[in-house]
Amino acid sequence: MTTRRPTPSRRSLLRAMAALPASALVLGEMPGLLGTALAAAPPSGSATRYTIVPFLDSNDGTVNVYQSDDATDFRLAKSAAYTPPANRIRDASVIKHTNGYYYLTYTTHTWQDPSTTIGFARSTDRLNWSFLYDYTVPIANLSRAWAPEFFVDNDGSVNVIVSCSTTDDEWIFTPYLLRATNSGLTAWTSPVALAGIGKNHIDTFVVKLGSTYHAFTKNETTKYIEYATATSLAGPYTISRTGNWAGWGSYREGPALVQLDNGGWRIFFDGYGDGTYYYSDSYDTFTTWSAAKGLPAVSGTARHFTVVKETVTGGVSLPRNVTRSFRSVNYTTRHWQTQSSLLNLPVVTASSTAAEKQASTFTVVAGLADANGYSFRDASGNYLRHYSYRARFDPNDGTSTFAKDATFIARTGTTSGSARFESYNYPGYYLRHYNYQLRVEQCDGTELFRTDSSFLPVTAWA
């Protein structure tokens, strides 16, 4: 594809801190604590599931649960899923523990009030939650403990990173580390400040890759998200990127990262100054980032969240090395068809010519860039790929770019048995028909888009 991925007032202090996350996450060596998903497309019959549990811009007394199969198109799974027995719930962080339970930890008071506790809740299914306890953070002269975030390290230890301030300067926050001392997550070590990040940094989120901890933290003076690294979770961290280094702009907070199925990393953050929740992707170990985009459906509604990623049953099951035709879900007489190397959506019926039926028949094979994904060959042996966002068939030139352009991840469609085909190297972009032409377009979170991008595999016409 020639069009590549793009490279990448102050509110009052109190208002700016209305949703203060400080979060951490590690993926890879202990995936059971966070889910079971790895950096690969889900196998046949399985699906990727991303879950967020945000409080609402209009209500910090409850949380909704949303889920997505692509980390872009989040849909409501349950509204008002958890309301604590007292106080508030803000900045909820979610994990799945090795005991099979999902856990939340959260801020227990609204931003105006002193808040010396953090809350904990538990669920068997992500949708129905039970209150566990409120934990008093043992810091002398503590004024506020905000945005506790789970962190699961490679050794299996469960940690919480929480932003805390003291009564001598109640609006200057420092990230502190707590470590669980039992498997029930009811006892914790004494808080230890993360060295090197320093005061007046909030919303610290850490991802561990190999032996390096990568921290994303908001500088509360400049309102930019900064980047730091360390060889120990507690630090010392070295901040190496400041200002507008990633092109996200200022008045951004609440960074949270998750790894996508294609191996890239996605950051979510709250553009609290303009009411937009953003996401941006990186494929070079956090050096460069795509232009930030508003998250469909939940932007403007959801506030600070983190993401738990899992591989679950119930995904698309599409056999490989067989021939199939693909019928539009909302235009049921129209099928994929190769026309002058382009993929279009004409009417195909029993009375169509043999040539038209052959042009509407495709061999489904393992994805060229990911064997759990899918690629599609026409009768001449050319592969379906996107090129300047248009779907077309070309010979495989053996390059990694072609392999990625020609690989699609199957997501569940809008009707039984149907599938949506997400671009492997443009996450959140799907094969979608428009004016009976097939293009790769960005999901906008609407039901029309989901339907236009859903296709039913049927018996091959030829």
Side-chain angles (χ1 to χ4, degrees):
M1 181 160 183
T2 54
T3 306
R4 307 313 315 170
R5 185 182 294 101
T7 301
S9 329
R10 168 183 173 110
R11 295 184 179 184
S12 70
L13 182 58
L14 299 184
R15 188 69 182 274
M17 293 185 175
L20 290 180
S23 54
L25 172 67
V26 58
L27 293 176
E29 295 186 27
M30 294 299 296
L33 288 165
L34 296 165
T36 56
L38 301 176
S44 180
S46 298
T48 301
R49 184 174 70 193
Y50 302 87
T51 300
I52 61 174
V53 190
F55 79 97
L56 310 181
D57 188 58
S58 60
N59 185 359
D60 65 358
T62 191
V63 289
N64 288 351
V65 177
Y66 298 87
Q67 66 185 42
S68 172
D69 56 8
D70 61 6
T72 303
D73 186 13
F74 283 92
R75 311 183 202 186
L76 183 66
K78 187 174 182 178
S79 62
Y82 172 64
T83 301
N87 303 315
R88 320 307 294 166
I89 177 168
R90 303 171 66 91
D91 318 324
S93 174
V94 59
I95 61 167
K96 186 177 183 181
H97 198 7
T98 50
N99 61 11
Y101 285 101
Y102 298 87
Y103 285 84
L104 288 179
T105 183
Y106 54 90
T107 305
T108 57
H109 289 74
T110 191
W111 58 269
Q112 299 101 325
D113 300 328
S115 177
T116 60
T117 62
I118 56 177
F120 289 86
R122 189 173 72 175
S123 172
T124 59
D125 61 4
R126 305 170 301 124
L127 305 179
N128 301 285
W129 295 86
S130 299
F131 172 74
L132 290 179
Y133 64 98
D134 285 342
Y135 176 74
T136 300
V137 180
I139 294 177
N141 302 315
L142 180 64
S143 175
R144 285 168 172 80
W146 279 357
E149 305 294 351
F150 283 117
F151 180 97
V152 183
D153 214 334
N154 290 1
D155 60 3
S157 62
V158 179
N159 304 268
V160 166
I161 295 178
V162 57
S163 289
C164 296
S165 69
T166 52
T167 53
D168 60 338
D169 203 337
E170 61 182 340
W171 302 117
I172 300 298
F173 286 81
T174 299
Y176 283 83
L177 175 67
L178 310 173
R179 176 169 294 193
T181 58
N182 62 13
S183 60
L185 310 186
T186 58
W188 302 88
T189 59
S190 297
V192 176
L194 296 186
I197 291 179
K199 292 184 176 181
N200 215 30
H201 282 85
I202 62 174
D203 305 358
T204 302
F205 193 105
V206 178
V207 171
K208 188 178 184 185
L209 300 180
S211 60
T212 302
Y213 296 85
H214 302 258
F216 296 79
T217 183
K218 179 192 177 188
N219 183 315
E220 184 53 30
T221 300
T222 66
K223 307 301 183 186
Y224 287 112
I225 295 172
E226 299 181 342
Y227 170 78
T229 55
T231 57
S232 170
L233 175 57
Y237 287 85
T238 300
I239 298 176
S240 59
R241 296 189 180 101
T242 60
N244 195 27
W245 66 277
W248 300 323
S250 60
Y251 294 88
R252 306 296 189 236
E253 64 185 20
L257 283 80
V258 70
Q259 193 167 29
L260 302 174
D261 284 345
N262 68 359
W265 285 89
R266 174 160 293 180
I267 188 171
F268 300 93
F269 53 85
D270 190 349
Y272 62 92
D274 57 28
T276 302
Y277 222 103
Y278 291 97
Y279 70 94
S280 175
D281 298 340
S282 178
Y283 291 85
D284 54 10
T285 317
F286 315 135
T287 301
T288 60
W289 293 83
S290 64
K293 297 179 180 179
L295 192 63
V298 301
S299 185
T301 299
R303 299 301 304 272
H304 177 193
F305 59 77
T306 62
V307 187
V308 60
K309 179 184 179 183
E310 304 171 87
T311 298
V312 297
T313 59
V316 174
S317 184
L318 181 59
R320 295 174 175 83
N321 302 314
V322 297
T323 56
R324 289 287 185 271
S325 294
F326 293 87
R327 188 179 73 204
S328 168
V329 160
N330 53 351
Y331 288 83
T332 56
T333 61
R334 293 182 175 271
H335 297 71
W336 290 8
Q337 186 179 100
T338 307
Q339 296 179 343
S340 301
S341 297
L342 299 176
L343 184 61
N344 293 324
L345 197 72
V347 173
V348 182
T349 66
S351 60
S352 296
T353 67
E356 290 170 334
K357 292 178 180 178
Q358 185 64 69
S360 302
T361 297
F362 307 94
T363 302
V364 182
V365 298
L368 297 181
D370 184 331
N372 284 345
Y374 294 90
S375 292
F376 304 91
R377 282 199 313 259
D378 66 10
S380 64
N382 293 332
Y383 284 86
L384 174 64
R385 57 90 61 96
H386 58 81
Y387 187 92
S388 292
Y389 302 103
R390 187 69 161 93
R392 57 175 294 119
F393 285 83
D394 287 316
N396 182 3
D397 64 10
T399 64
S400 61
T401 296
F402 186 96
K404 293 174 183 177
D405 285 354
T407 298
F408 299 87
I409 300 175
R411 310 295 189 188
T412 303
T414 56
T415 61
S416 178
S418 68
R420 304 169 67 209
F421 296 102
E422 182 188 17
S423 167
Y424 179 80
N425 54 347
Y426 280 62
Y429 285 70
Y430 286 83
L431 284 172
R432 185 253 183 110
H433 68 76
Y434 185 82
N435 286 338
Y436 309 126
Q437 297 178 347
L438 273 292
R439 302 179 58 83
V440 170
E441 293 190 353
Q442 183 179 10
C443 178
D444 62 9
T446 65
E447 195 59 30
L448 175 62
F449 185 98
R450 296 171 188 144
T451 305
D452 281 352
S453 58
S454 294
F455 301 93
L456 185 67
V458 296
T459 300
W461 280 108

